[in-house]
């Protein structure tokens, strides 16, 4: 237990490398590669919504729901994942 406390106290800081990514903002009806429709059941939905089909992206971490206004990012290895607009704005800026 003490080792874990020392690791936390001595945690190093890191800065994200400046990598140019591609991203598209999702809106209903917009077709984006990697976004598909899948059934989301009420017991799986974070807001407890009824069984419905929703836009999702299958990522390395599992299937993630894409909401209106989310950014769909293409990562450095071609992987796709959703990002909430506020996080996107705090993390990215337009590239030249």
């Amino acid at each position: 237990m003490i080792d874990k406390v020392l690791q936390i106290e001595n945690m190093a800081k890191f800065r994200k490398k400046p990598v140019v990514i591609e991203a598209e903002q999702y809106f209903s009806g917009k077709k984006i590669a990697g976004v598909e429709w899948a059934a989301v059941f009420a017991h799986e939905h974070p807001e407890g919504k009824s069984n419905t089909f929703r836009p999702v992206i299958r990522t390395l971490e599992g299937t993630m729901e894409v909401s209106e206004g989310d950014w769909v990012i293409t990562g450095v290895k071609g992987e796709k994942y959703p990002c909430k607009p506020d996080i996107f704005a705090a993390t990215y800026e337009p590239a030249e």
Side-chain angles (χ1 to χ4, degrees):
M1 181 69 173
I2 294 174
D3 289 341
K4 287 185 180 183
V5 172
L6 291 175
Q7 288 175 355
I8 292 171
E9 290 176 2
N10 296 321
M11 191 177 301
K13 294 187 183 243
F14 293 88
R15 180 176 291 119
K16 214 179 223 187
K17 291 181 180 179
V19 175
V20 175
I21 53 103
E22 292 182 351
E24 295 181 69
Q25 197 164 22
Y26 177 80
F27 294 102
S28 294
K30 183 174 185 179
K31 296 200 183 291
I32 298 177
V35 177
E36 58 187 75
W37 288 83
V40 176
F41 300 100
H43 69 277
E44 297 172 336
H45 197 284
E47 297 170 11
K49 294 182 180 175
S50 62
N51 300 351
T52 183
F53 279 84
R54 306 282 295 173
V56 298
I57 295 177
R58 300 193 192 283
T59 72
L60 297 174
E61 291 82 25
T63 301
M64 300 180 77
E65 192 171 326
V66 181
S67 301
E68 187 84 8
D70 282 357
W71 287 87
V72 177
I73 296 172
T74 302
V76 295
K77 293 186 177 181
E79 73 282 12
K80 302 262 188 190
Y81 56 94
C83 183
K84 295 294 177 200
D86 58 333
I87 302 297
F88 187 86
T91 307
Y92 299 99
E93 59 187 24
E96 301 283 328

